[in-house]
Amino acid sequence: MVVAKISFLLISFLLMLRGYSGSGSSSDNFVEHVALFIFGDSLYDPGNNNYINTTPEFQANFWPYGISYFDPPSGRFSDGRLIPDFIAEYAGLPIIPTYLDPRNSEFVYGANFASGGAGALVETHAGFVVDLKTQLQYFGDLEKQFRQKLGDSKTDQLLSDAVYLFSCGGNDYLAPVGNNESILYPYTHEQYIRMVIGNMTDVFKGIHEKGGRKIGITTVSPLACWPSIRAGRPGNTCNGELDIITSMHNQQLSKKLVELEKELEGFMYSLFDLNTEVSNRMKNPSKYGFKIGDSACCGSGPFGCIYSCGGKRGVTEFDLCDNISDYFFFDSNHNTEVAARQFAELFWDGDSTVTAPYDLKTLFLHQGKRSPTYRKEDL
Ligand SMILES: *[C@@H]1O[C@H](CO)[C@@H](O)[C@H](O)[C@H]1NC(C)=O
Ligand SMILES: *[C@@H]1O[C@H](CO)[C@@H](O)[C@H](O)[C@H]1NC(C)=O
Ligand SMILES: *[C@@H]1O[C@H](CO)[C@@H](O)[C@H](O)[C@H]1NC(C)=O
């Protein structure tokens, strides 16, 4: 904790220095911060799904969601803050505004486009979520607004300095399982994964075309043993096939990122191994300060596996645990705020076995052509 605080002060100082020393002409003073744009699924959704036509299955804007931090509930699928909320804090930014919330019109610090249930494939929960491609279109709309308001040179600088955070893929593998398709029919695992990664790559390239350079992304979680998955299975066992698929996805993802680094000019990334970190906490909760690693705090059924937290998703009964911070899972699909904070710290400046080749702190400090590249070790 102390370490995290010190690094927060350090970066605030460095970001400040950078604003004051100016990076070229004095008209560049505008860019005193590095913006954060957020894409993906419920791991990052701050409430975009409150503003689309969907069902409570894909929403969390009701009690007891948000109970540890937000009043009224924001729509985050958690008792409190999510990974991007902490990342924004460490980077000296305000909470990044929810793009679809009509009360928000100022996005100079960034925007959050993430939508609970979304995948890389448009087919994933189609009609109920904002898929990744549409999220990129919204980002394109925002780019046009920036160009009108700020002019091209400031917009170029804003977009190339910015960090682009992604959480994506999990729902592409969960959705077919949820529909009891056995399981990716008519595709082989390899074909399906290639499609998911291919569509994610298209979006990374779309960001790069608009001038974005720095991408932060997580591996897909070990969904096979999610309480919600175990619920639907005989003897509440984990889903072995899903385990194989997510492992393959994660291998392909890191391969693809290495390729993109060579292929796309100036492309930098930070890959956080969420899969391993989730898995460690589910297996050995007490090592990370949790009492319970495999059951949800809020929900119903054995180990809270039924996704009924809040009572608005068809099943009205649910229990809420007494002490949320004892739990790794808040509901049967989503972790607690305490867990999100731990993940954010590791994503921000965890060592290279967890976050590589750069951590997010390094991406935030990097200033493209206007300064040398800092490898993590140099900081
Ligand atoms: C799921 O698929 C299996 C095998 O195809 C079938 O036996 C089972 O009844 C299905 N379950 C549901 C809930 O549709
Ligand atoms: C993206 O996904 C669609 C299905 O939604 C698929 O037809 C297409 O081939 C994928 N694109 C890539 C580049 O893999
Ligand atoms: C909740 O759990 C945390 C961590 O186990 C503990 O520090 C705290 O005292 C507990 N609070 C209550 C009200 O039991």
Side-chain angles (χ1 to χ4, degrees), residues 77-97:
F77 296 77
S78 166
D79 60 302
R81 285 162 289 179
L82 306 176
I83 293 172
D85 298 319
F86 291 110
I87 297 302
E89 182 190 317
Y90 305 156
L93 298 169
I95 281 197
I96 302 303

Side-chain angles (χ1 to χ4, degrees), residues 270-318:
S270 165
L271 176 62
F272 168 49
D273 189 3
L274 180 67
N275 184 285
T276 302
E277 294 303 318
V278 168
S279 188
N280 290 346
R281 282 161 182 75
M282 288 174 71
K283 283 182 197 145
N284 201 350
S286 62
K287 194 176 157 198
Y288 300 90
F290 301 104
K291 291 205 173 106
I292 294 136
D294 63 351
S295 304
C297 161
C298 184
S300 51
F303 47 95
C305 62
I306 298 171
Y307 188 48
S308 62
C309 183
K312 292 197 192 279
R313 301 188 182 115
V315 179
T316 51
E317 306 82 52
F318 70 97

